[in-house]
Amino acid sequence: MNEIDRSRAARAAARTRIEDTAARLFAERGFAGTTIGEIAAEAGLSKPMLYRHFDSKQELHLALLERHRDELAAAPIGELLHGEGDLDGRLTAMYDAWFAHVQGHPYTWRMMFRDTTGDPEVQAFHQELQRRQRETDMALLREFVPGIPEAELEPLGEAIRSSLQGLALWWLERPDRSREPLVAAMVRLTRGLISTVGHPGDGGPDDRTP
């Protein structure tokens, strides 16, 4: 490895240490209760070194949120759209992947699900994240449950999104619990929703006149 490569590797390693340390401290103490000096010290860096990577605490916080935003959706959506087996099996794989990601990044997801900054830009990020998650759930419902009335899709998408987020926050306060019951609960909730579509009398696709 030449000098340039070593320098890039060292810079990348330092940035990862900063982000991992900041995620933990922000989750434990909140945004206002964490200082740049504390992050630098616990990451084993000087403040000037930290400022070579991030101009401000706000920029660091937003970088963390952006880093993990797409990861939260990528694995579970892949399981549902490209997984094998029946719908129950694919739902189980999807929710298991989602909760596994939360389990593997507990500090980060406290930040993702709770805004402790009061900063308008961070609040806007959280609103955008919720919108994206809701629209993803709506797209999945359109794909797999085409009989749902269009007017109900957004509230149903919000119900799934908020259920996942609420369970994740509940679980993060109870780390001794296994994720299997949470996965089973979300599958049961989703299957219950799906079972209401297409029954005679509900206006769904099977509500036909003989």
Side-chain angles (χ1 to χ4, degrees), residues 5-202:
D5 288 339
R6 282 195 294 270
S7 177
R8 287 174 177 169
R11 181 175 176 83
R15 185 181 179 93
T16 297
R17 287 206 311 277
I18 292 169
E19 291 182 348
D20 291 346
T21 300
R24 175 173 58 82
L25 293 179
F26 286 148
E28 289 176 347
R29 307 176 187 178
F31 182 82
T34 304
T35 67
I36 283 288
E38 290 168 339
I39 295 169
E42 295 215 19
L45 301 168
S46 65
K47 285 176 66 174
M49 179 65 71
L50 187 150
Y51 279 123
R52 293 182 186 177
H53 295 269
F54 300 99
D55 290 337
S56 66
K57 186 171 67 168
Q58 181 199 44
E59 182 182 309
L60 172 53
H61 191 277
L62 285 169
L64 280 169
L65 295 177
E66 291 168 358
R67 169 184 163 185
H68 292 282
R69 173 180 55 201
D70 296 330
E71 293 179 9
L72 184 60
I77 294 303
E79 292 287 352
L80 183 62
L81 296 180
H82 308 298
E84 299 179 354
D86 61 13
L87 182 57
D88 272 6
R90 292 159 76 182
L91 284 172
T92 298
M94 179 185 73
Y95 289 131
D96 187 67
W98 196 90
F99 283 113
H101 206 283
V102 171
Q103 187 175 31
H105 304 80
Y107 294 118
T108 300
W109 299 125
R110 285 191 178 91
M111 290 173 44
M112 292 291 288
F113 300 145
R114 289 174 176 160
D115 174 26
T116 62
T117 68
D119 182 89
E121 190 172 355
V122 174
Q123 290 174 349
F125 178 94
H126 279 271
Q127 291 170 357
E128 174 66 12
L129 176 63
Q130 291 173 7
R131 184 191 64 79
R132 287 189 181 192
Q133 291 175 327
R134 183 168 54 250
E135 289 187 351
T136 296
D137 292 329
M138 291 167 63
L140 293 173
L141 288 170
R142 286 192 185 97
E143 174 75 17
F144 292 99
V145 200
I148 294 179
E150 184 68 24
E152 295 181 22
L153 278 172
E154 185 168 5
L156 287 171
E158 175 61 19
I160 294 173
R161 184 207 67 78
S162 59
S163 294
L164 277 169
Q165 180 170 323
L167 277 177
L169 289 172
W170 178 85
W171 188 35
L172 288 171
E173 302 304 324
R174 299 163 177 81
D176 57 316
R177 306 288 184 93
S178 67
R179 70 173 181 264
E180 285 77 9
L182 282 77
V183 172
M186 283 304 305
V187 171
R188 186 183 298 275
L189 185 152
T190 308
R191 287 299 297 176
L193 165 64
I194 292 171
S195 71
T196 67
V197 179
H199 287 187
D202 68 1

